[in-house]
Amino acid sequence: MSMVASCRQVFGDFQYPTAPSGRPGGAQAVFHHEWKKEEAKEKLKRTVEAYQQFEQGQMPAGPGADALLASFRAVEKELADHEPGPAKVVTDRQIELLLKKKASVLHLSAANYCWFEDPAKALCLKLAGTRSAAAPLTGLCDSSRCPQATHHLVHRSVWQTTADNGVVLLASPRIPPAEKARLRAEHERSVRVLEEIDAAAGKAE
């Protein structure tokens, strides 16, 4: 499965600006600021979407689901505590302000969300033998085991594609037995993640 294709499938038409080459220092700094601004907006948008799904009963899945739900419930409580009466309407802006800090630690991936709040808990850093880092090491990500990773309905298609590809490869007589053992483990993981996503979102059959 192409990661580029997966990202397009998950993130739709949204694209971060592409860094141009050969810009002078001043213009490069301006561009970097613009890029970070757009990135922050997308992170906040995704966090708000996840919160709204939580309000609708569609829960996140993955090892980091409980921690994310705790954050969402804290926001929910704060909104409720500030409502003077039934006539009070919670605005999107209020929700965004309460979720801004949480969104700032979000790292988007085609297959999961990484809430990189505590580097000491990041599985990728442990696998790399690194104690601290400013960002997760996506090349070593195993979101099915990392306590800061969550899976949502937006990630389902990626895991479904991975599971479907696994079935095809496992059925191929050209794949060596040792490689099939690895592929079987990956396929089982993909199926398990799919089941968890559906169950948490209330869409399991």
Side-chain angles (χ1 to χ4, degrees):
M1 172 183 61
S2 166
M3 183 58 70
V4 172
S6 297
C7 288
R8 286 175 178 168
Q9 186 177 28
V10 173
F11 298 131
D13 294 330
F14 175 81
Q15 292 183 348
Y16 292 137
T18 301
S21 59
R23 282 199 176 195
Q28 225 169 23
V30 171
F31 171 80
H32 181 73
H33 174 75
E34 293 172 352
W35 184 89
K36 295 298 290 184
K37 185 178 179 180
E38 288 302 313
E39 182 186 41
K41 285 171 59 177
E42 183 66 9
K43 288 181 177 182
L44 182 57
K45 174 186 172 184
R46 296 289 177 172
T47 304
V48 171
E49 285 178 353
Y51 177 79
Q52 291 172 338
Q53 290 169 354
F54 153 75
E55 286 188 307
Q56 297 165 4
Q58 296 179 12
M59 305 299 169
D66 288 345
L68 181 60
L69 287 173
S71 297
F72 285 171
R73 290 183 180 119
V75 169
E76 188 177 51
K77 184 177 185 304
E78 189 163 351
L79 288 171
D81 289 346
H82 282 77
E83 291 183 22
K88 174 70 175 180
V89 177
V90 176
T91 65
D92 291 342
R93 182 58 178 164
Q94 285 175 290
I95 295 174
E96 288 178 353
L97 288 173
L98 291 173
L99 289 172
K100 191 172 183 179
K101 182 178 179 181
K102 189 69 176 179
S104 68
V105 302
L106 173 60
H107 289 262
L108 301 170
S109 170
N112 67 282
Y113 287 163
C114 172
W115 307 92
F116 197 69
E117 291 181 290
D118 186 353
K121 294 181 179 178
L123 178 62
C124 60
L125 299 189
K126 291 180 180 179
L127 293 174
T130 303
R131 290 183 176 271
S132 63
L137 304 175
T138 54
L140 294 176
C141 178
D142 182 352
S143 62
S144 66
R145 295 194 295 138
C146 182
Q148 297 187 125
T150 57
H151 302 131
H152 304 254
L153 282 175
V154 69
H155 305 121
R156 194 186 189 287
S157 61
V158 175
W159 289 98
Q160 184 65 65
T161 299
T162 302
D164 292 345
N165 288 344
V167 171
V168 174
L169 291 171
L170 287 170
S172 173
R174 298 182 178 181
I175 304 297
E179 179 64 10
K180 280 196 174 183
R182 185 188 66 80
L183 291 171
R184 187 172 293 107
E186 288 188 1
H187 174 69
E188 291 173 354
R189 179 188 64 168
S190 299
V191 171
R192 184 176 69 253
V193 170
L194 281 170
E195 292 173 346
E196 291 172 353
I197 290 175
D198 289 344
K203 295 184 177 295
E205 295 181 358

